[in-house]
Amino acid sequence: MEAKRPARTPQPPYYSVVFTSVREEGDHGYSEMAKEMAELVRSQPGFLGSDECRGADGLGITVAYFDTEENVKAWRANASHTVARNLGRERWYKSYALHVAKVERAYSWERPEDSEQSEESEQPE
Amino acid sequence: MEAKRPARTPQPPYYSVVFTSVREEGDHGYSEMAKEMAELVRSQPGFLGSDECRGADGLGITVAYFDTEENVKAWRANASHTVARNLGRERWYKSYALHVAKVERAYSWERPEDSEQSEESEQPE
């Protein structure tokens, strides 16, 4: 398996969707649905990549990248995603926030295999 | 202490800075510097809020919100932040990515205290 690293995104502009949530206690079907949604989003038109994490304090962040605003809206309107969102309010989350934003600049850095320090690279606008 | 919940952000537009990183093994001064940076960013002009998490797989995401692009750039140029970034490449990270984006739409939801289901609210553009 490839080592964990942030999603490789293209040259801006494109869109980011940041979903920040605080979980309720207990699973109540969350893990299964989260796995389904993670697979479903990958098959959406214009999906460019995603990263996610959840800390010990219950706060989690998922960032998904899409090529256009239209494809962000199509994902939001997806029927299975809408069902999951409603279940999220009913069962899984204490609170959440969603931020849809247009990526203007992106930088990335990866440790070189020879361990020399390197500069970060910018994906120019 | 107030219950954990996502940062309360104002009506868009404003800017999001998403820092996604994969940690190296060991602390090597990371925890101390991370705490310092978390305090420092709160004192920056135009800082609106932030959320962060790191999962068991070593991938972490920090999202900070700023009022303007100028204040995003000022934070990037901050001397202590620049030192921390350089130490990050030297010691703490296997890889990272940074996405600077203009927030166009934001939604939030919080479980009502009477446990009734409620609709999410939009901070209109």
Side-chain angles (χ1 to χ4, degrees):
Chain A
M1 203 175 96
E2 201 185 354
K4 196 83 193 163
R5 54 148 292 154
R8 296 172 197 266
T9 47
Q11 183 177 316
Y14 46 87
Y15 277 80
S16 63
V17 181
V18 178
F19 179 69
T20 308
S21 64
V22 178
R23 287 277 310 277
E24 291 281 4
E25 303 292 321
D27 192 77
H28 309 296
Y30 171 79
S31 301
E32 194 185 342
M33 181 67 92
K35 196 179 158 198
E36 273 178 39
M37 286 303 113
E39 284 172 15
L40 185 60
V41 72
R42 282 170 210 284
S43 70
Q44 293 303 294
F47 175 79
L48 298 175
S50 66
D51 290 305
E52 60 187 321
C53 60
R54 187 167 300 277
D57 62 0
L59 188 140
I61 301 175
T62 300
V63 188
Y65 301 98
F66 287 90
D67 58 352
T68 63
E69 192 180 6
E70 287 64 38
N71 281 326
V72 170
K73 288 181 175 171
W75 169 234
R76 186 168 170 83
N78 176 284
S80 302
H81 187 202
T82 300
V83 168
R85 212 157 51 230
N86 291 339
L87 282 170
R89 283 197 291 273
E90 196 178 301
R91 299 182 187 171
W92 300 320
Y93 299 121
K94 285 191 164 79
S95 57
Y96 65 73
L98 188 79
H99 291 85
V100 178
K102 187 176 186 177
V103 177
E104 297 183 351
R105 292 195 307 284
Y107 309 84
S108 67
W109 177 84
E110 191 162 7
R111 186 170 300 287
E113 291 196 2
D114 63 5
S115 290
E116 271 179 36
Q117 192 176 337
S118 70
E119 292 303 307
E120 61 189 19
S121 67
E122 178 167 4
Q123 284 91 45
E125 288 171 59
Chain B
M1 204 176 94
E2 201 186 354
K4 197 83 193 162
R5 54 148 293 151
R8 295 172 198 266
T9 47
Q11 183 176 317
Y14 47 86
Y15 277 79
S16 63
V17 180
V18 178
F19 179 69
T20 308
S21 64
V22 178
R23 287 276 311 277
E24 291 281 3
E25 302 292 321
D27 192 77
H28 310 294
Y30 171 80
S31 301
E32 194 184 340
M33 182 66 93
K35 197 179 158 199
E36 274 179 38
M37 286 302 113
E39 284 171 17
L40 185 61
V41 71
R42 282 168 208 285
S43 70
Q44 293 304 294
F47 174 79
L48 299 175
S50 65
D51 291 304
E52 60 186 322
C53 60
R54 187 166 300 278
D57 62 0
L59 188 139
I61 302 174
T62 301
V63 189
Y65 302 98
F66 287 91
D67 59 352
T68 63
E69 191 179 6
E70 287 64 39
N71 281 327
V72 170
K73 287 181 176 169
W75 170 234
R76 186 168 170 84
N78 176 283
S80 301
H81 187 201
T82 300
V83 168
R85 213 159 47 233
N86 291 339
L87 282 170
R89 283 196 290 272
E90 196 179 300
R91 299 181 187 171
W92 300 320
Y93 298 121
K94 285 191 165 81
S95 57
Y96 64 75
L98 189 79
H99 291 85
V100 179
K102 186 176 187 178
V103 178
E104 297 183 351
R105 291 195 307 284
Y107 309 84
S108 68
W109 177 84
E110 191 162 9
R111 185 171 299 288
E113 291 195 3
D114 61 6
S115 289
E116 271 179 34
Q117 191 175 338
S118 70
E119 293 303 308
E120 60 190 21
S121 68
E122 179 167 3
Q123 284 90 45
E125 287 171 61

Short mmCIF file of all heavy atoms in Angstrom, two decimals, chain B residues 23-73:
data_model
loop_
_atom_site.label_atom_id
_atom_site.label_comp_id
_atom_site.label_asym_id
_atom_site.label_seq_id
_atom_site.Cartn_x
_atom_site.Cartn_y
_atom_site.Cartn_z
N ARG B 23 2.53 13.28 9.58
CA ARG B 23 3.61 13.42 10.55
C ARG B 23 4.66 12.33 10.42
O ARG B 23 4.35 11.19 10.10
CB ARG B 23 3.04 13.34 11.99
CG ARG B 23 2.27 14.55 12.45
CD ARG B 23 3.17 15.64 13.01
NE ARG B 23 4.13 15.15 13.98
CZ ARG B 23 3.87 14.95 15.27
NH1 ARG B 23 2.68 15.20 15.75
NH2 ARG B 23 4.81 14.51 16.07
N GLU B 24 5.89 12.69 10.72
CA GLU B 24 6.94 11.70 10.97
C GLU B 24 6.71 11.09 12.35
O GLU B 24 5.97 11.63 13.17
CB GLU B 24 8.32 12.38 10.96
CG GLU B 24 8.78 12.88 9.61
CD GLU B 24 9.32 11.77 8.72
OE1 GLU B 24 9.29 10.58 9.12
OE2 GLU B 24 9.76 12.09 7.62
N GLU B 25 7.36 9.99 12.65
CA GLU B 25 7.29 9.39 13.99
C GLU B 25 7.99 10.30 15.01
O GLU B 25 8.96 10.98 14.66
CB GLU B 25 8.01 8.03 14.00
CG GLU B 25 7.49 7.02 13.01
CD GLU B 25 6.10 6.53 13.36
OE1 GLU B 25 5.83 6.33 14.55
OE2 GLU B 25 5.28 6.38 12.44
N GLY B 26 7.53 10.28 16.25
CA GLY B 26 8.23 11.00 17.32
C GLY B 26 7.82 12.46 17.40
O GLY B 26 7.30 13.03 16.44
N ASP B 27 8.06 13.08 18.54
CA ASP B 27 7.60 14.45 18.74
C ASP B 27 8.62 15.49 18.25
O ASP B 27 8.28 16.40 17.51
CB ASP B 27 7.29 14.70 20.23
CG ASP B 27 6.54 16.01 20.42
OD1 ASP B 27 5.33 16.03 20.14
OD2 ASP B 27 7.17 17.01 20.81
N HIS B 28 9.88 15.38 18.71
CA HIS B 28 10.96 16.28 18.27
C HIS B 28 10.58 17.76 18.40
O HIS B 28 10.92 18.56 17.51
CB HIS B 28 11.36 15.98 16.81
CG HIS B 28 11.62 14.53 16.55
ND1 HIS B 28 12.68 13.85 17.13
CD2 HIS B 28 10.96 13.61 15.80
CE1 HIS B 28 12.66 12.58 16.73
NE2 HIS B 28 11.62 12.41 15.94
N GLY B 29 9.85 18.11 19.46
CA GLY B 29 9.48 19.51 19.69
C GLY B 29 8.21 19.95 18.99
O GLY B 29 7.81 21.11 19.08
N TYR B 30 7.55 19.00 18.32
CA TYR B 30 6.35 19.35 17.54
C TYR B 30 5.21 19.89 18.42
O TYR B 30 4.62 20.92 18.12
CB TYR B 30 5.86 18.13 16.75
CG TYR B 30 4.51 18.36 16.11
CD1 TYR B 30 4.41 19.07 14.92
CD2 TYR B 30 3.34 17.91 16.70
CE1 TYR B 30 3.18 19.31 14.32
CE2 TYR B 30 2.10 18.15 16.13
CZ TYR B 30 2.03 18.84 14.93
OH TYR B 30 0.82 19.08 14.36
N SER B 31 4.92 19.18 19.52
CA SER B 31 3.75 19.54 20.35
C SER B 31 3.87 20.96 20.88
O SER B 31 2.89 21.72 20.86
CB SER B 31 3.61 18.57 21.53
OG SER B 31 3.45 17.27 21.05
N GLU B 32 5.07 21.30 21.31
CA GLU B 32 5.29 22.63 21.85
C GLU B 32 5.08 23.70 20.77
O GLU B 32 4.40 24.71 20.99
CB GLU B 32 6.72 22.72 22.42
CG GLU B 32 6.95 23.93 23.30
CD GLU B 32 8.40 24.03 23.75
OE1 GLU B 32 9.12 23.00 23.71
OE2 GLU B 32 8.82 25.14 24.12
N MET B 33 5.67 23.45 19.60
CA MET B 33 5.54 24.43 18.52
C MET B 33 4.10 24.51 18.02
O MET B 33 3.61 25.61 17.72
CB MET B 33 6.48 24.05 17.37
CG MET B 33 6.46 25.01 16.22
SD MET B 33 7.12 26.67 16.61
CE MET B 33 8.86 26.47 16.14
N ALA B 34 3.42 23.38 17.96
CA ALA B 34 2.02 23.39 17.51
C ALA B 34 1.15 24.23 18.44
O ALA B 34 0.29 24.99 17.99
CB ALA B 34 1.49 21.95 17.42
N LYS B 35 1.43 24.11 19.73
CA LYS B 35 0.68 24.90 20.71
C LYS B 35 0.97 26.39 20.53
O LYS B 35 0.07 27.23 20.56
CB LYS B 35 1.07 24.44 22.12
CG LYS B 35 0.12 24.87 23.21
CD LYS B 35 0.56 24.35 24.57
CE LYS B 35 -0.04 25.20 25.68
NZ LYS B 35 0.67 25.05 26.96
N GLU B 36 2.26 26.70 20.34
CA GLU B 36 2.64 28.11 20.10
C GLU B 36 1.97 28.68 18.86
O GLU B 36 1.47 29.80 18.87
CB GLU B 36 4.16 28.22 19.93
CG GLU B 36 4.93 28.36 21.21
CD GLU B 36 6.43 28.43 20.94
OE1 GLU B 36 6.85 29.06 19.94
OE2 GLU B 36 7.20 27.83 21.71
N MET B 37 1.97 27.88 17.78
CA MET B 37 1.38 28.37 16.53
C MET B 37 -0.14 28.55 16.67
O MET B 37 -0.70 29.51 16.17
CB MET B 37 1.67 27.40 15.38
CG MET B 37 3.09 27.43 14.87
SD MET B 37 3.60 29.08 14.29
CE MET B 37 4.83 29.47 15.55
N ALA B 38 -0.78 27.63 17.42
CA ALA B 38 -2.23 27.72 17.63
C ALA B 38 -2.58 29.00 18.38
O ALA B 38 -3.60 29.64 18.12
CB ALA B 38 -2.74 26.50 18.38
N GLU B 39 -1.70 29.38 19.32
CA GLU B 39 -1.93 30.64 20.04
C GLU B 39 -1.63 31.85 19.16
O GLU B 39 -2.37 32.83 19.15
CB GLU B 39 -1.06 30.68 21.31
CG GLU B 39 -1.62 29.81 22.41
CD GLU B 39 -0.68 29.67 23.59
OE1 GLU B 39 0.27 30.47 23.72
OE2 GLU B 39 -0.89 28.73 24.39
N LEU B 40 -0.53 31.74 18.41
CA LEU B 40 -0.10 32.88 17.58
C LEU B 40 -1.13 33.22 16.50
O LEU B 40 -1.42 34.40 16.26
CB LEU B 40 1.26 32.55 16.93
CG LEU B 40 1.93 33.65 16.13
CD1 LEU B 40 2.23 34.86 16.99
CD2 LEU B 40 3.20 33.13 15.46
N VAL B 41 -1.68 32.18 15.86
CA VAL B 41 -2.61 32.44 14.76
C VAL B 41 -3.85 33.19 15.25
O VAL B 41 -4.41 34.04 14.54
CB VAL B 41 -2.99 31.14 14.00
CG1 VAL B 41 -3.90 30.24 14.82
CG2 VAL B 41 -3.62 31.47 12.65
N ARG B 42 -4.26 32.91 16.48
CA ARG B 42 -5.43 33.58 17.06
C ARG B 42 -5.23 35.08 17.23
O ARG B 42 -6.19 35.83 17.30
CB ARG B 42 -5.77 33.00 18.44
CG ARG B 42 -6.48 31.69 18.37
CD ARG B 42 -6.56 30.98 19.71
NE ARG B 42 -6.62 29.55 19.49
CZ ARG B 42 -7.71 28.91 19.07
NH1 ARG B 42 -8.82 29.57 18.85
NH2 ARG B 42 -7.68 27.61 18.85
N SER B 43 -3.97 35.49 17.32
CA SER B 43 -3.69 36.91 17.51
C SER B 43 -3.45 37.64 16.19
O SER B 43 -3.17 38.84 16.18
CB SER B 43 -2.46 37.07 18.41
OG SER B 43 -1.30 36.66 17.72
N GLN B 44 -3.54 36.91 15.08
CA GLN B 44 -3.27 37.54 13.78
C GLN B 44 -4.44 38.42 13.34
O GLN B 44 -5.60 38.08 13.59
CB GLN B 44 -3.04 36.45 12.71
CG GLN B 44 -1.79 35.64 12.91
CD GLN B 44 -0.55 36.50 12.99
OE1 GLN B 44 -0.17 37.14 12.03
NE2 GLN B 44 0.05 36.55 14.16
N PRO B 45 -4.12 39.53 12.64
CA PRO B 45 -5.19 40.38 12.11
C PRO B 45 -6.09 39.58 11.16
O PRO B 45 -5.59 38.83 10.31
CB PRO B 45 -4.44 41.45 11.32
CG PRO B 45 -3.05 41.45 11.86
CD PRO B 45 -2.79 40.06 12.34
N GLY B 46 -7.40 39.70 11.36
CA GLY B 46 -8.35 39.08 10.44
C GLY B 46 -8.61 37.60 10.69
O GLY B 46 -9.36 36.98 9.93
N PHE B 47 -8.01 37.03 11.75
CA PHE B 47 -8.27 35.62 12.07
C PHE B 47 -9.73 35.46 12.50
O PHE B 47 -10.21 36.19 13.37
CB PHE B 47 -7.34 35.17 13.19
CG PHE B 47 -7.61 33.77 13.69
CD1 PHE B 47 -7.17 32.67 12.99
CD2 PHE B 47 -8.31 33.57 14.87
CE1 PHE B 47 -7.41 31.38 13.44
CE2 PHE B 47 -8.57 32.28 15.35
CZ PHE B 47 -8.11 31.18 14.62
N LEU B 48 -10.43 34.49 11.90
CA LEU B 48 -11.87 34.32 12.17
C LEU B 48 -12.18 33.06 12.95
O LEU B 48 -13.29 32.91 13.49
CB LEU B 48 -12.64 34.28 10.85
CG LEU B 48 -12.57 35.53 9.97
CD1 LEU B 48 -13.29 35.29 8.65
CD2 LEU B 48 -13.15 36.73 10.69
N GLY B 49 -11.22 32.11 12.97
CA GLY B 49 -11.50 30.84 13.65
C GLY B 49 -10.70 29.72 13.02
O GLY B 49 -10.12 29.91 11.94
N SER B 50 -10.64 28.57 13.68
CA SER B 50 -9.91 27.43 13.10
C SER B 50 -10.42 26.13 13.71
O SER B 50 -11.01 26.12 14.79
CB SER B 50 -8.41 27.57 13.35
OG SER B 50 -8.12 27.49 14.73
N ASP B 51 -10.20 25.05 12.97
CA ASP B 51 -10.50 23.70 13.44
C ASP B 51 -9.32 22.82 13.08
O ASP B 51 -8.65 23.06 12.07
CB ASP B 51 -11.75 23.15 12.75
CG ASP B 51 -13.01 23.88 13.19
OD1 ASP B 51 -13.26 23.91 14.40
OD2 ASP B 51 -13.73 24.42 12.33
N GLU B 52 -9.10 21.78 13.88
CA GLU B 52 -8.01 20.87 13.54
C GLU B 52 -8.26 19.49 14.09
O GLU B 52 -8.98 19.32 15.08
CB GLU B 52 -6.68 21.40 14.07
CG GLU B 52 -6.63 21.58 15.56
CD GLU B 52 -5.33 22.24 16.00
OE1 GLU B 52 -4.28 21.94 15.43
OE2 GLU B 52 -5.38 23.07 16.92
N CYS B 53 -7.66 18.52 13.44
CA CYS B 53 -7.72 17.14 13.95
C CYS B 53 -6.55 16.37 13.36
O CYS B 53 -5.95 16.79 12.37
CB CYS B 53 -9.04 16.47 13.57
SG CYS B 53 -9.35 16.35 11.82
N ARG B 54 -6.18 15.27 14.04
CA ARG B 54 -5.18 14.35 13.49
C ARG B 54 -5.64 12.94 13.80
O ARG B 54 -6.01 12.63 14.93
CB ARG B 54 -3.78 14.62 14.06
CG ARG B 54 -2.70 13.77 13.37
CD ARG B 54 -1.29 14.25 13.69
NE ARG B 54 -1.05 15.62 13.28
CZ ARG B 54 -0.72 15.99 12.03
NH1 ARG B 54 -0.59 15.10 11.08
NH2 ARG B 54 -0.54 17.27 11.77
N GLY B 55 -5.66 12.11 12.77
CA GLY B 55 -6.14 10.75 12.94
C GLY B 55 -5.03 9.79 13.34
O GLY B 55 -3.84 10.15 13.33
N ALA B 56 -5.41 8.58 13.67
CA ALA B 56 -4.47 7.56 14.12
C ALA B 56 -3.48 7.18 13.01
O ALA B 56 -2.39 6.67 13.29
CB ALA B 56 -5.24 6.33 14.59
N ASP B 57 -3.84 7.46 11.75
CA ASP B 57 -2.94 7.12 10.63
C ASP B 57 -1.86 8.18 10.40
O ASP B 57 -1.05 8.05 9.49
CB ASP B 57 -3.75 6.90 9.34
CG ASP B 57 -4.51 8.15 8.91
OD1 ASP B 57 -4.42 9.18 9.60
OD2 ASP B 57 -5.22 8.09 7.88
N GLY B 58 -1.85 9.24 11.23
CA GLY B 58 -0.82 10.27 11.13
C GLY B 58 -1.19 11.45 10.26
O GLY B 58 -0.47 12.45 10.21
N LEU B 59 -2.34 11.37 9.55
CA LEU B 59 -2.76 12.49 8.71
C LEU B 59 -3.58 13.48 9.52
O LEU B 59 -4.51 13.08 10.24
CB LEU B 59 -3.56 12.01 7.49
CG LEU B 59 -3.86 13.11 6.46
CD1 LEU B 59 -3.68 12.61 5.03
CD2 LEU B 59 -5.25 13.70 6.63
N GLY B 60 -3.21 14.76 9.44
CA GLY B 60 -3.93 15.80 10.16
C GLY B 60 -4.36 16.90 9.22
O GLY B 60 -3.76 17.12 8.16
N ILE B 61 -5.43 17.58 9.60
CA ILE B 61 -5.94 18.72 8.82
C ILE B 61 -6.18 19.87 9.79
O ILE B 61 -6.79 19.69 10.84
CB ILE B 61 -7.26 18.37 8.09
CG1 ILE B 61 -7.05 17.17 7.16
CG2 ILE B 61 -7.78 19.58 7.32
CD1 ILE B 61 -8.34 16.67 6.50
N THR B 62 -5.65 21.05 9.44
CA THR B 62 -5.97 22.28 10.16
C THR B 62 -6.60 23.24 9.16
O THR B 62 -6.04 23.45 8.08
CB THR B 62 -4.70 22.93 10.74
OG1 THR B 62 -4.08 22.01 11.64
CG2 THR B 62 -5.04 24.20 11.51
N VAL B 63 -7.75 23.78 9.51
CA VAL B 63 -8.40 24.79 8.68
C VAL B 63 -8.45 26.08 9.48
O VAL B 63 -8.98 26.09 10.59
CB VAL B 63 -9.84 24.41 8.29
CG1 VAL B 63 -10.38 25.39 7.25
CG2 VAL B 63 -9.91 22.99 7.76
N ALA B 64 -7.87 27.14 8.92
CA ALA B 64 -7.95 28.46 9.56
C ALA B 64 -8.70 29.39 8.61
O ALA B 64 -8.55 29.30 7.38
CB ALA B 64 -6.56 29.00 9.85
N TYR B 65 -9.52 30.25 9.19
CA TYR B 65 -10.32 31.19 8.41
C TYR B 65 -9.82 32.61 8.68
O TYR B 65 -9.59 32.98 9.84
CB TYR B 65 -11.80 31.06 8.76
CG TYR B 65 -12.34 29.67 8.52
CD1 TYR B 65 -12.46 28.76 9.57
CD2 TYR B 65 -12.71 29.25 7.25
CE1 TYR B 65 -12.94 27.47 9.36
CE2 TYR B 65 -13.20 27.96 7.03
CZ TYR B 65 -13.30 27.07 8.09
OH TYR B 65 -13.77 25.80 7.89
N PHE B 66 -9.68 33.39 7.59
CA PHE B 66 -9.24 34.79 7.67
C PHE B 66 -10.19 35.65 6.86
O PHE B 66 -10.79 35.18 5.89
CB PHE B 66 -7.83 34.95 7.09
CG PHE B 66 -6.74 34.39 7.96
CD1 PHE B 66 -6.33 33.08 7.80
CD2 PHE B 66 -6.13 35.17 8.93
CE1 PHE B 66 -5.32 32.55 8.61
CE2 PHE B 66 -5.12 34.67 9.73
CZ PHE B 66 -4.72 33.34 9.57
N ASP B 67 -10.24 36.93 7.24
CA ASP B 67 -11.19 37.82 6.56
C ASP B 67 -10.79 38.15 5.13
O ASP B 67 -11.64 38.25 4.25
CB ASP B 67 -11.43 39.10 7.39
CG ASP B 67 -10.15 39.89 7.64
OD1 ASP B 67 -9.04 39.40 7.32
OD2 ASP B 67 -10.27 41.01 8.19
N THR B 68 -9.49 38.35 4.89
CA THR B 68 -9.06 38.79 3.55
C THR B 68 -7.82 38.01 3.10
O THR B 68 -7.09 37.42 3.92
CB THR B 68 -8.67 40.28 3.54
OG1 THR B 68 -7.55 40.46 4.42
CG2 THR B 68 -9.82 41.18 3.98
N GLU B 69 -7.57 38.05 1.80
CA GLU B 69 -6.39 37.42 1.24
C GLU B 69 -5.12 38.07 1.78
O GLU B 69 -4.11 37.39 2.02
CB GLU B 69 -6.44 37.54 -0.29
CG GLU B 69 -5.40 36.69 -0.96
CD GLU B 69 -5.45 36.79 -2.47
OE1 GLU B 69 -6.21 37.62 -3.01
OE2 GLU B 69 -4.69 36.03 -3.11
N GLU B 70 -5.17 39.38 2.00
CA GLU B 70 -4.00 40.10 2.53
C GLU B 70 -3.61 39.53 3.89
O GLU B 70 -2.43 39.37 4.20
CB GLU B 70 -4.32 41.60 2.68
CG GLU B 70 -4.40 42.36 1.36
CD GLU B 70 -5.53 41.90 0.44
OE1 GLU B 70 -6.63 41.59 0.95
OE2 GLU B 70 -5.30 41.81 -0.78
N ASN B 71 -4.60 39.25 4.72
CA ASN B 71 -4.29 38.71 6.05
C ASN B 71 -3.84 37.25 5.99
O ASN B 71 -3.08 36.81 6.86
CB ASN B 71 -5.48 38.93 6.99
CG ASN B 71 -5.51 40.36 7.50
OD1 ASN B 71 -4.46 40.98 7.70
ND2 ASN B 71 -6.70 40.91 7.70
N VAL B 72 -4.28 36.50 4.99
CA VAL B 72 -3.73 35.16 4.77
C VAL B 72 -2.24 35.28 4.46
O VAL B 72 -1.40 34.55 5.01
CB VAL B 72 -4.45 34.44 3.60
CG1 VAL B 72 -3.70 33.16 3.21
CG2 VAL B 72 -5.89 34.13 3.96
N LYS B 73 -1.91 36.22 3.59
CA LYS B 73 -0.50 36.41 3.19
C LYS B 73 0.35 36.90 4.35
O LYS B 73 1.51 36.50 4.49
CB LYS B 73 -0.42 37.38 2.00
CG LYS B 73 -0.91 36.73 0.71
CD LYS B 73 -0.82 37.66 -0.49
CE LYS B 73 -1.24 36.91 -1.76
NZ LYS B 73 -1.41 37.81 -2.91
#
